[in-house]
Amino acid sequence: MSVIKVENLTKQFGNFTAVDNISFEVEKGEIFGFLGANGAGKTTAMRMLCGLSHPTSGNGTVAGYDIFKQSEEVKKNIGYMSQKFSLYEDLKVWENLRLFGGIYGMKDKPIAAKTSQILQELGFEKERDALVKSLPLGWKQKLAFSVAVFHEPKIVFLDEPTGGVDPLTRRQFWELIYQAAARGITVFVTTHYMDEAEYCKRVSIMVDGRIEAIDTPKNLKQQFHAESMDEVFYMLARKAKRGEN
Amino acid sequence: MENAILKCLSINKRYGDVQALTNIDLEVKKGELFGLIGPDGAGKTSLFRILATLLLANGGIATVDGLDVVRDYKAIRNRVGYMPGRFSLYPDLTVEENLNFFATVFNTTVRENYSLIEDIYRQIEPFKKRRAGQLSGGMKQKLALSCALIHKPTVLFLDEPTTGVDPVSRKEFWGMLKKLKQQGITILVSTPYMDEAALCDRIAFIQQGEILAIDTPANIVAGFPHKLYAVETDNNYETLKQLRENPAVRSVFSFGDTLHVTFDGELKMNPDYSQLKEIEPSIEDCFMELIL
């Protein structure tokens, strides 16, 4: 069953085509890596999938809702986390969970129960009343992920969630991703760490607004006669013409 | 150390109750490409700011090119180039205006040192009339590097120049650093990407304000204290969980399409993992071993 399905999706800004006629599907519970160089159009594509930006043309459904006509329904059924902004630094850990649960329409009782459960799973019980700004980056990112899936969305979008995080915490973060996927949450993730591309079930590589390759990491390595995803990425992304202008 | 151009002796830095740097001892040789490797929050930026004379340490001594960072700060500022992690040029000046401004501040001209920045600046020159705030990430980075070099510094400080940058642009950036090194500039560069460590002459691992190791990448790898094995299965995550339960397993981590495993004592081959093969550790294996 596809939880993301897009056909010929295009976004133009003036005469610049940021996303150029992309089509793909993502299955329920899949961990899908959305790769591409800076400026390839990843963020623009992701904003359309999240119902934040109106496509210029094409069709798409996310979590069963039309991204043109039902963007509010799309937003209710997804979670989102980025490297830059995810949590309110001057709210306490529990207050952040409370706030996001409330925004997604959860009732007080389930919020309280879920909060205890998550703090226990993360080993953050002592930090319940700590201000988020006092936490180390790696902890913040793990908490931000838990906030993004707090309302058990159908899909969670992760935009470079592990940038700058230490290698141990990066791996702990990926375990949270695996656990969420095992619960049936679809994970749509961008990263610049090519070892993390290998942790995805399938990946796509965007170049100049188009999807140039999409398959399992194993098949992509075979297809491009490469030893690693790093090599595959390099072969495709260096062909980019438009750079980052 | 002979030819040390940068020296830190017991540098300490506190912010209120937070100990950001603890007894940092570090020497960088003239002409070296030295990497400060560690995650966000490790203290890398504090150390850069102390060396660039922008922040006072709470204790310890640091010298740059033989000059004391506290007493001789004005002289040091003429000799170092500093590219902060956050974009710090003037967004409402054009590319060209920014470069001219920095040249003028240092009493020089763009023409005088153009050869040093030529390779880098040429790539953004077509956009020289564009305001810096309107540039893409990669172009901002090239402009910032040009501005940090325009007064021909002897030491270049680069604070996380490649964070958030895609792998192709990262390779390109390290190519530029190599060329600068060939021109005799000493470079201290920080990065959270472990694969970039291998491109440095020497590296220091830094975590929670402390230096865990300093050496050449080759020596760091040679110093890995265990035999390291790689295993690849159809379901690495399931295998990871199983190996974790195995009492003979000392550590197991995901590394791309394989798992890296060390064992306590002698390795007893389990038939399930007959495809285990011994491998050479990467810099990332070594860093993780130190923070375990």
Side-chain angles (χ1 to χ4, degrees):
Chain A
M1 192 185 79
S2 298
V3 289
I4 299 177
K5 186 172 182 179
V6 300
E7 281 173 349
N8 309 115
L9 203 63
T10 295
K11 178 76 186 188
Q12 287 177 316
F13 297 107
N15 51 19
F16 177 70
T17 307
V19 173
D20 189 0
N21 207 24
I22 62 171
S23 303
F24 65 94
E25 292 184 27
V26 181
E27 296 285 304
K28 181 174 170 17
E30 188 171 335
I31 301 174
F32 186 83
F34 196 58
L35 312 181
N38 300 105
K42 296 191 302 291
T43 303
T44 305
M46 214 151 152
R47 287 177 54 82
M48 288 193 281
L49 295 177
C50 293
L52 298 171
S53 166
H54 211 72
T56 309
S57 61
N59 303 303
T61 57
V62 169
Y65 297 100
D66 188 301
I67 56 174
F68 276 86
K69 300 184 199 108
Q70 298 171 295
S71 58
E72 288 312 306
E73 290 303 316
V74 169
K75 287 177 202 166
K76 281 180 202 163
N77 284 281
I78 62 170
Y80 175 79
M81 162 189 177
S82 77
Q83 185 194 356
K84 290 186 187 91
F85 172 79
S86 300
L87 299 170
Y88 289 91
E89 297 256 307
D90 44 9
L91 291 184
K92 292 171 184 169
V93 167
W94 76 266
E95 288 171 335
N96 267 284
L97 292 167
R98 170 85 187 74
L99 174 67
F100 282 94
I103 286 172
Y104 283 105
M106 290 172 69
K107 299 273 183 286
D108 288 353
K109 259 193 182 166
I111 288 178
K114 194 84 194 268
T115 299
S116 307
Q117 182 201 333
I118 280 177
L119 294 179
Q120 194 202 343
E121 281 168 8
L122 292 175
F124 283 6
E125 284 136 315
K126 280 192 197 132
E127 282 71 27
R128 185 188 169 87
D129 292 321
L131 290 180
V132 163
K133 67 179 167 202
S134 71
L135 301 179
L137 176 81
W139 291 43
K140 275 185 208 166
Q141 294 306 81
K142 284 196 271 184
L143 181 64
F145 179 79
S146 301
V147 165
V149 295
F150 194 78
H151 59 295
E152 293 289 321
K154 294 199 173 73
I155 307 164
V156 63
F157 290 90
L158 309 172
D159 195 0
E160 282 184 49
T162 54
V165 174
D166 76 74
L168 268 184
T169 313
R170 221 149 57 74
R171 283 165 177 79
Q172 291 166 358
F173 190 91
W174 270 88
E175 295 217 11
L176 295 177
I177 290 182
Y178 282 123
Q179 286 161 14
R183 292 205 301 273
I185 297 178
T186 305
V187 180
F188 189 95
V189 58
T190 74
T191 179
H192 287 320
Y193 289 98
M194 287 303 124
D195 61 329
E196 294 185 347
E198 305 269 9
Y199 306 153
C200 300
K201 189 164 170 229
R202 284 191 309 142
V203 301
S204 69
I205 299 178
M206 248 182 128
V207 182
D208 289 350
R210 288 185 295 273
I211 289 185
E212 287 292 324
I214 179 165
D215 212 326
T216 62
K218 200 172 178 178
N219 288 347
L220 285 176
K221 282 184 282 182
Q222 264 170 10
Q223 187 188 335
F224 290 92
H225 307 287
E227 291 276 306
S228 64
M229 279 306 294
D230 200 39
E231 274 179 51
V232 174
F233 185 88
Y234 195 72
M235 282 187 213
L236 287 169
R238 74 176 171 194
K239 289 186 203 149
K241 295 268 189 308
R242 77 183 187 203
E244 297 180 57
N245 317 327
Chain B
M1 183 180 289
E2 274 178 57
N3 302 326
I5 194 166
L6 284 180
K7 281 188 192 178
C8 293
L9 196 63
S10 300
I11 286 289
N12 278 276
K13 180 66 196 174
R14 272 190 317 275
Y15 301 104
D17 301 335
V18 180
Q19 187 75 31
L21 293 171
T22 309
N23 294 330
I24 300 292
D25 292 323
L26 185 73
E27 294 195 346
V28 177
K29 274 183 263 184
K30 195 166 166 39
E32 218 171 17
L33 175 51
F34 192 98
L36 213 47
I37 315 293
D40 272 21
K44 303 190 298 288
T45 300
S46 293
L47 188 57
F48 273 116
R49 293 177 60 81
I50 288 167
L51 289 169
T53 77
L54 300 172
L55 184 70
L56 289 170
N58 296 103
I61 297 167
T63 63
V64 176
D65 213 356
L67 301 164
D68 185 274
V69 290
V70 180
R71 201 181 54 225
D72 309 317
Y73 72 95
K74 278 190 178 162
I76 289 178
R77 287 178 187 182
N78 281 319
R79 299 190 194 190
V80 302
Y82 174 47
M83 183 172 153
R86 197 178 294 172
F87 182 67
S88 307
L89 303 179
Y90 293 92
D92 43 7
L93 293 186
T94 65
V95 166
E96 197 176 31
E97 286 167 343
N98 266 292
L99 193 61
N100 277 323
F101 174 78
F102 282 93
T104 313
V105 165
F106 286 104
N107 274 321
T108 182
T109 60
V110 172
R111 203 185 319 152
E112 196 167 330
N113 295 319
Y114 189 73
S115 63
L116 194 59
I117 63 161
E118 192 175 357
D119 276 350
I120 303 157
Y121 188 65
R122 243 193 345 230
Q123 302 172 47
I124 49 172
E125 214 163 13
F127 311 100
K128 64 184 180 186
K129 301 286 182 202
R130 195 181 284 188
R131 288 180 191 213
Q134 307 294 316
L135 297 175
S136 69
M139 294 203 291
K140 276 181 183 159
Q141 185 196 42
K142 284 173 187 138
L143 177 60
L145 185 57
S146 301
C147 290
L149 283 168
I150 198 59
H151 60 297
K152 207 174 184 199
T154 47
V155 183
L156 188 58
F157 295 120
L158 305 173
D159 193 1
E160 297 209 15
T162 55
T163 293
V165 174
D166 70 71
V168 174
S169 310
R170 291 206 281 130
K171 277 201 181 97
E172 222 180 70
F173 191 83
W174 278 86
M176 293 191 268
L177 294 192
K178 215 170 164 187
K179 281 191 184 159
L180 289 172
K181 178 186 143 66
Q182 283 160 1
Q183 306 206 41
I185 296 177
T186 305
I187 303 170
L188 181 65
V189 56
S190 68
T191 179
Y193 294 102
M194 302 284 153
D195 56 341
E196 294 180 348
L199 305 170
C200 300
D201 296 323
R202 285 194 309 139
I203 54 176
F205 282 149
I206 181 166
Q207 166 99 337
Q208 291 173 356
E210 291 185 59
I211 288 185
L212 307 174
I214 302 182
D215 215 325
T216 62
N219 284 346
I220 295 240
V221 166
F224 191 79
H226 305 277
K227 283 189 172 179
L228 185 69
Y229 297 87
V231 60
E232 186 178 352
T233 64
D234 291 335
N235 189 338
N236 279 347
Y237 183 54
E238 281 308 310
T239 312
L240 174 81
K241 287 194 283 192
Q242 286 168 19
L243 282 170
R244 239 183 231 153
E245 301 299 313
N246 186 332
V249 171
R250 202 187 139 267
S251 70
V252 52
F253 294 110
S254 297
F255 269 80
D257 55 358
T258 62
L259 300 172
H260 287 189
V261 195
T262 64
F263 294 88
D264 273 322
E266 276 305 294
L267 166 63
K268 291 179 199 72
M269 275 289 189
N270 182 322
D272 294 347
Y273 310 119
S274 52
Q275 67 279 56
L276 270 180
K277 62 170 195 258
E278 192 174 343
I279 54 160
E280 182 172 275
S282 65
I283 295 288
E284 188 153 343
D285 287 295
C286 299
F287 185 82
M288 286 170 59
E289 178 66 26
L290 286 168
I291 61 175
L292 262 186

